[in-house]
Amino acid sequence: MRLETLLPLGKVDPGLRAPEVPLDIHSVAAGAALLEEVGYGGLVVEETKDDPFTLLALAATTTERLRLGTAVTIAFPRSPTVMAMQAWTLQKLSRGRFTLGMGTQVRGHIQRRYGVPWSPPGPWMREYVQAVRAVWDCWQNGTPLDVRGEHYTLDLMVPLFDAGPIEHPDIPVHLAAINPNMCAVAGEVADGVRPHPVCTPSYIAEVMLPAVRRGAARSGRPLDDFRVCMKPLVASARTQEELVPKVRDARARIAFYASTPGYRAAFAHLGLGDLADEAKHLSKAQRWEELPVLIDDDVLDLFAVIGTYDEIGARLLDRFRSVVTDVEFSIQVRDDRDRATLTDLARLVQSDDDAPARAAITGRQGAGDAVWRSGR
C-alpha cells in the first residue's frame, strides 16, 4: 500500500465548501520535504485554485524520493501537446517521480468555465491519452508524429519544438473515474484509476474493476502494475471531542455528493438511489441545510472512515486494502507529537501487503473478498 496526500497536511475533501485551511503556495516546498522526511510515499496536487504543475515543480526542488502527481488536472481545456510538455518537464525535473493524473470535469464546467465544446468524455479521453503518448514517443524515440482522430490531428514536430529524449520517459497516466465507461478507458490506455471519494470498496470491486479489466482486454494490456488510488472520505482528529465537528462535516460532504447526478450510481449500488434523488431535489431547491439530515449513521459508516489519529490508519487499511493500492490521507502537523503520529501512520499503512488489491484488479480474487462483500 502506498500513502500519499494533498497539501496542506490534514486537508480533507470539502465537498461544496471552501477548505478550512487554504493552501499557501509558499509552504509547498517545505511541506513536500516534511513528507519525505516522515516516510510518505507521495504528494499529489489537485487543480482547483492553483496551477498543479507549478506546485509540483516547487515540491520537486526539495525532495529526492517522494512521488509527485496531479490528482487530478483537467485534460480537455489543454491540447494534448501542451499536456505532454508539462508532464515531460516535470518528469525531467523530478528525475522520474511524476505521475500524470487527469480528469474530464463535467459538461457545465468544460463549456461554461473553460469555453471548450463538449463531447462524450469516454472516447475523447481515450484519444487524448493516446495523443499525449504519441507526442512523448515522438520526443523520446523520434517516431513521426501522426495522430489522426475525431478530436485531434497532430502531425507537425519541428526540431525547435522537439523536447527530445529524457532519462525516465515512462510517465504513468492515471484517470479519474466513477462510471464503467471511463473505468474501461483507464484499463485500455492508462496505468491507474482514481475513484471518486464516494466509491465504496464494493463499488470499486463489483463495478469499476470489471470495467477496467474489459478495457484492458480490448487492448491486450496486462494489469499487473495497474494502480487504484483512493481519496477516501475521512473524519479524524486527536480526540473524540475534536472528532465531533469532523463527523458533522463528513455528513455534509456525503449529502452534497449524493445530490450530484454524476455520482448517483455509487449510491444506487448500495440501494440508496432514493436518497440520492431526494438529495438532488433538496439541492435544486437550494435547501442546503436539510441535506446532511439525510445521512444517518448507517449511511455515514458506508462512505466515511472515522477514527482518532491512533485508530485511523488501521481503519483505512480495513476498509480499502482489498481493492486499493494507494490511499490519500494525512493529519495536520502542529507539533512534534503530530509529526510522530504522521510518521507512525506512514509506516503502518505502507507496511501493508497490496496482494489482495492486486488480486482484485487482475481478477484473481483472494482472501480479501470478505471486506468488500460486506457492502462497504
Side-chain angles (χ1 to χ4, degrees), residues 13 41 44 54 99 105 123-124 141 175 204 228 302 337 364:
D13 189 336
V44 292
T54 302
T99 295
Q105 252 304 351
W124 192 0
N141 302 309
L175 299 182
I204 295 171
V228 178
L302 286 172
R337 175 186 170 190
R364 300 188 294 267

Side-chain angles (χ1 to χ4, degrees), residues 41-207:
L43 167 66
V44 292
V45 177
E46 59 190 359
E47 184 171 349
T48 52
K49 302 180 187 304
D50 296 290
D51 174 64
F53 297 97
T54 302
L55 299 183
L56 289 175
L58 293 171
T61 62
T62 57
T63 57
E64 297 178 355
R65 301 177 305 279
L66 191 72
R67 289 183 299 275
L68 307 171
T70 51
V72 293
T73 188
I74 308 305
F76 300 151
R78 298 175 174 89
S79 83
T81 308
V82 169
M83 185 72 82
M85 176 172 285
Q86 289 179 295
W88 207 243
T89 301
L90 263 172
Q91 185 76 333
K92 285 191 290 185
L93 182 62
S94 66
R95 295 183 173 89
R97 293 180 284 138
F98 177 64
T99 295
L100 177 60
M102 296 188 291
T104 62
Q105 252 304 351
V106 297
R107 181 197 298 255
H109 284 264
I110 291 298
Q111 291 180 324
R112 297 167 54 202
R113 183 155 66 96
Y114 292 112
V116 176
W118 179 250
S119 186
W124 192 0
M125 182 59 86
R126 179 189 298 109
E127 184 180 327
Y128 191 99
V129 174
Q130 291 169 336
V132 168
R133 292 194 190 279
V135 174
W136 290 340
D137 186 35
C138 173
W139 290 341
Q140 187 67 24
N141 302 309
T143 305
L145 184 61
D146 187 18
V147 175
R148 301 180 188 278
E150 180 181 350
H151 299 88
Y152 306 105
T153 298
L154 307 176
D155 58 9
L156 177 65
M157 187 62 62
V158 300
L160 179 63
F161 302 111
D162 188 329
I166 60 176
E167 184 178 359
H168 304 282
D170 297 325
I171 303 174
V173 174
H174 293 176
L175 299 182
I178 186 170
N179 65 67
N181 287 339
M182 191 58 67
C183 291
V185 172
E188 185 176 356
V189 300
D191 305 291
V193 66
R194 289 190 169 270
H196 189 273
V198 298
C199 296
T200 57
S202 65
Y203 185 82
I204 295 171
E206 297 174 3
V207 178

